[in-house]
Amino acid sequence: MTDEPGLSAREILDRLDTTLSRGTRIRAVVALLAGLAGAVFVTSLWWSEPGPLPDRTHLSFTLLTVFCLAWAGYGGWLLTRRVPLFATEQVVAAGIALASSVSTTGIAVVAAARSGTGPGPALAVGGLFIAAALTLAARARARRAALLRRMRQLTRQDGS
């Protein structure tokens, strides 16, 4: 079980390493850099348009920029955490992915319907992304709940 059997659950939790694992740090840096790069790219496309854009195009550019900044914010937030997260980062990432998937699918469906090509392909592809994001969100919430449940069990055992 443990190298030091006399430790209580609270002492074990206090001894947890508060630094991020290498994989988590790499994912955080990638999210931060990709989010910033995406925001710069989308914003530069938006500003470099030669003529006036319709309101729905402004809305689309705004949403894409917000999602890129959300990923950058997520990466920065994750890099600054110094406490055990108990899978909170997975729940946050799944939430961003789900919001991005639903909004992007909505934009694509409206654009396809307005252009006359039909919303079928946009709905099919968007539905796959939404299904994947929902699956990841459910798994992340279940993992967080299991970790928190285990922590409560350990702290309850420590108190008795």
Side-chain angles (χ1 to χ4, degrees), residues 105 108-109 112 118-132:
T105 300
V109 167
L123 273 173
V125 172
L128 289 174
F129 280 105
I130 292 170

PDB file of all heavy atoms in Angstrom, residues 105 108-109 112 118-132:
ATOM      1  N   THR A 105     -21.211  23.963 -34.867  1.00  0.00           N
ATOM      2  CA  THR A 105     -22.198  23.208 -35.637  1.00  0.00           C
ATOM      3  C   THR A 105     -23.392  24.088 -35.984  1.00  0.00           C
ATOM      4  O   THR A 105     -23.879  24.072 -37.124  1.00  0.00           O
ATOM      5  CB  THR A 105     -22.654  21.965 -34.858  1.00  0.00           C
ATOM      6  OG1 THR A 105     -21.517  21.132 -34.614  1.00  0.00           O
ATOM      7  CG2 THR A 105     -23.713  21.188 -35.617  1.00  0.00           C
ATOM      8  N   ALA A 108     -22.368  26.426 -38.785  1.00  0.00           N
ATOM      9  CA  ALA A 108     -22.226  25.706 -40.050  1.00  0.00           C
ATOM     10  C   ALA A 108     -23.587  25.318 -40.625  1.00  0.00           C
ATOM     11  O   ALA A 108     -23.801  25.407 -41.845  1.00  0.00           O
ATOM     12  CB  ALA A 108     -21.374  24.459 -39.851  1.00  0.00           C
ATOM     13  N   VAL A 109     -24.506  24.901 -39.774  1.00  0.00           N
ATOM     14  CA  VAL A 109     -25.842  24.520 -40.244  1.00  0.00           C
ATOM     15  C   VAL A 109     -26.580  25.732 -40.809  1.00  0.00           C
ATOM     16  O   VAL A 109     -27.193  25.658 -41.882  1.00  0.00           O
ATOM     17  CB  VAL A 109     -26.643  23.837 -39.108  1.00  0.00           C
ATOM     18  CG1 VAL A 109     -28.117  23.732 -39.460  1.00  0.00           C
ATOM     19  CG2 VAL A 109     -26.056  22.470 -38.805  1.00  0.00           C
ATOM     20  N   ALA A 112     -24.971  26.676 -44.120  1.00  0.00           N
ATOM     21  CA  ALA A 112     -25.327  25.724 -45.184  1.00  0.00           C
ATOM     22  C   ALA A 112     -26.773  25.920 -45.629  1.00  0.00           C
ATOM     23  O   ALA A 112     -27.077  25.862 -46.825  1.00  0.00           O
ATOM     24  CB  ALA A 112     -25.106  24.298 -44.692  1.00  0.00           C
ATOM     25  N   GLY A 118     -28.065  22.782 -48.144  1.00  0.00           N
ATOM     26  CA  GLY A 118     -28.712  21.854 -47.220  1.00  0.00           C
ATOM     27  C   GLY A 118     -27.868  21.610 -45.987  1.00  0.00           C
ATOM     28  O   GLY A 118     -26.640  21.510 -46.064  1.00  0.00           O
ATOM     29  N   PRO A 119     -28.510  21.495 -44.843  1.00  0.00           N
ATOM     30  CA  PRO A 119     -27.786  21.367 -43.589  1.00  0.00           C
ATOM     31  C   PRO A 119     -27.326  19.935 -43.260  1.00  0.00           C
ATOM     32  O   PRO A 119     -26.648  19.730 -42.258  1.00  0.00           O
ATOM     33  CB  PRO A 119     -28.786  21.855 -42.549  1.00  0.00           C
ATOM     34  CG  PRO A 119     -30.117  21.527 -43.146  1.00  0.00           C
ATOM     35  CD  PRO A 119     -29.940  21.688 -44.642  1.00  0.00           C
ATOM     36  N   GLY A 120     -27.671  18.960 -44.086  1.00  0.00           N
ATOM     37  CA  GLY A 120     -27.363  17.560 -43.779  1.00  0.00           C
ATOM     38  C   GLY A 120     -25.907  17.270 -43.478  1.00  0.00           C
ATOM     39  O   GLY A 120     -25.582  16.742 -42.405  1.00  0.00           O
ATOM     40  N   PRO A 121     -24.980  17.587 -44.395  1.00  0.00           N
ATOM     41  CA  PRO A 121     -23.559  17.305 -44.118  1.00  0.00           C
ATOM     42  C   PRO A 121     -23.032  18.051 -42.892  1.00  0.00           C
ATOM     43  O   PRO A 121     -22.277  17.492 -42.097  1.00  0.00           O
ATOM     44  CB  PRO A 121     -22.848  17.753 -45.391  1.00  0.00           C
ATOM     45  CG  PRO A 121     -23.893  17.705 -46.462  1.00  0.00           C
ATOM     46  CD  PRO A 121     -25.189  18.036 -45.766  1.00  0.00           C
ATOM     47  N   ALA A 122     -23.447  19.313 -42.734  1.00  0.00           N
ATOM     48  CA  ALA A 122     -22.991  20.087 -41.570  1.00  0.00           C
ATOM     49  C   ALA A 122     -23.510  19.476 -40.276  1.00  0.00           C
ATOM     50  O   ALA A 122     -22.786  19.391 -39.281  1.00  0.00           O
ATOM     51  CB  ALA A 122     -23.439  21.539 -41.693  1.00  0.00           C
ATOM     52  N   LEU A 123     -24.771  19.029 -40.307  1.00  0.00           N
ATOM     53  CA  LEU A 123     -25.337  18.372 -39.125  1.00  0.00           C
ATOM     54  C   LEU A 123     -24.635  17.051 -38.821  1.00  0.00           C
ATOM     55  O   LEU A 123     -24.396  16.726 -37.658  1.00  0.00           O
ATOM     56  CB  LEU A 123     -26.837  18.120 -39.324  1.00  0.00           C
ATOM     57  CG  LEU A 123     -27.761  19.250 -38.944  1.00  0.00           C
ATOM     58  CD1 LEU A 123     -29.196  18.922 -39.349  1.00  0.00           C
ATOM     59  CD2 LEU A 123     -27.679  19.544 -37.466  1.00  0.00           C
ATOM     60  N   ALA A 124     -24.313  16.295 -39.862  1.00  0.00           N
ATOM     61  CA  ALA A 124     -23.658  14.999 -39.660  1.00  0.00           C
ATOM     62  C   ALA A 124     -22.272  15.160 -39.036  1.00  0.00           C
ATOM     63  O   ALA A 124     -21.946  14.519 -38.037  1.00  0.00           O
ATOM     64  CB  ALA A 124     -23.562  14.248 -40.989  1.00  0.00           C
ATOM     65  N   VAL A 125     -21.471  16.036 -39.618  1.00  0.00           N
ATOM     66  CA  VAL A 125     -20.112  16.245 -39.102  1.00  0.00           C
ATOM     67  C   VAL A 125     -20.167  16.893 -37.725  1.00  0.00           C
ATOM     68  O   VAL A 125     -19.475  16.470 -36.789  1.00  0.00           O
ATOM     69  CB  VAL A 125     -19.284  17.090 -40.090  1.00  0.00           C
ATOM     70  CG1 VAL A 125     -17.944  17.479 -39.489  1.00  0.00           C
ATOM     71  CG2 VAL A 125     -19.077  16.333 -41.393  1.00  0.00           C
ATOM     72  N   GLY A 126     -20.997  17.922 -37.584  1.00  0.00           N
ATOM     73  CA  GLY A 126     -21.143  18.581 -36.286  1.00  0.00           C
ATOM     74  C   GLY A 126     -21.662  17.631 -35.228  1.00  0.00           C
ATOM     75  O   GLY A 126     -21.237  17.689 -34.071  1.00  0.00           O
ATOM     76  N   GLY A 127     -22.585  16.772 -35.612  1.00  0.00           N
ATOM     77  CA  GLY A 127     -23.113  15.788 -34.663  1.00  0.00           C
ATOM     78  C   GLY A 127     -22.036  14.857 -34.151  1.00  0.00           C
ATOM     79  O   GLY A 127     -22.033  14.480 -32.964  1.00  0.00           O
ATOM     80  N   LEU A 128     -21.104  14.475 -35.018  1.00  0.00           N
ATOM     81  CA  LEU A 128     -19.983  13.631 -34.575  1.00  0.00           C
ATOM     82  C   LEU A 128     -19.120  14.361 -33.550  1.00  0.00           C
ATOM     83  O   LEU A 128     -18.719  13.779 -32.533  1.00  0.00           O
ATOM     84  CB  LEU A 128     -19.133  13.200 -35.771  1.00  0.00           C
ATOM     85  CG  LEU A 128     -19.751  12.180 -36.712  1.00  0.00           C
ATOM     86  CD1 LEU A 128     -18.852  11.955 -37.927  1.00  0.00           C
ATOM     87  CD2 LEU A 128     -19.978  10.866 -35.980  1.00  0.00           C
ATOM     88  N   PHE A 129     -18.832  15.622 -33.814  1.00  0.00           N
ATOM     89  CA  PHE A 129     -18.037  16.401 -32.866  1.00  0.00           C
ATOM     90  C   PHE A 129     -18.773  16.594 -31.540  1.00  0.00           C
ATOM     91  O   PHE A 129     -18.176  16.508 -30.463  1.00  0.00           O
ATOM     92  CB  PHE A 129     -17.649  17.753 -33.467  1.00  0.00           C
ATOM     93  CG  PHE A 129     -16.484  17.677 -34.401  1.00  0.00           C
ATOM     94  CD1 PHE A 129     -16.687  17.757 -35.775  1.00  0.00           C
ATOM     95  CD2 PHE A 129     -15.197  17.508 -33.939  1.00  0.00           C
ATOM     96  CE1 PHE A 129     -15.621  17.685 -36.652  1.00  0.00           C
ATOM     97  CE2 PHE A 129     -14.126  17.428 -34.800  1.00  0.00           C
ATOM     98  CZ  PHE A 129     -14.334  17.516 -36.172  1.00  0.00           C
ATOM     99  N   ILE A 130     -20.064  16.865 -31.619  1.00  0.00           N
ATOM    100  CA  ILE A 130     -20.853  17.035 -30.398  1.00  0.00           C
ATOM    101  C   ILE A 130     -20.901  15.730 -29.612  1.00  0.00           C
ATOM    102  O   ILE A 130     -20.755  15.729 -28.383  1.00  0.00           O
ATOM    103  CB  ILE A 130     -22.270  17.549 -30.730  1.00  0.00           C
ATOM    104  CG1 ILE A 130     -22.192  18.981 -31.249  1.00  0.00           C
ATOM    105  CG2 ILE A 130     -23.185  17.469 -29.514  1.00  0.00           C
ATOM    106  CD1 ILE A 130     -23.485  19.513 -31.825  1.00  0.00           C
ATOM    107  N   ALA A 131     -21.093  14.602 -30.300  1.00  0.00           N
ATOM    108  CA  ALA A 131     -21.119  13.307 -29.623  1.00  0.00           C
ATOM    109  C   ALA A 131     -19.785  13.018 -28.938  1.00  0.00           C
ATOM    110  O   ALA A 131     -19.749  12.541 -27.793  1.00  0.00           O
ATOM    111  CB  ALA A 131     -21.459  12.195 -30.618  1.00  0.00           C
ATOM    112  N   ALA A 132     -18.683  13.325 -29.623  1.00  0.00           N
ATOM    113  CA  ALA A 132     -17.361  13.107 -29.016  1.00  0.00           C
ATOM    114  C   ALA A 132     -17.181  14.003 -27.794  1.00  0.00           C
ATOM    115  O   ALA A 132     -16.682  13.557 -26.751  1.00  0.00           O
ATOM    116  CB  ALA A 132     -16.268  13.370 -30.041  1.00  0.00           C
TER     117      ALA A 132
END
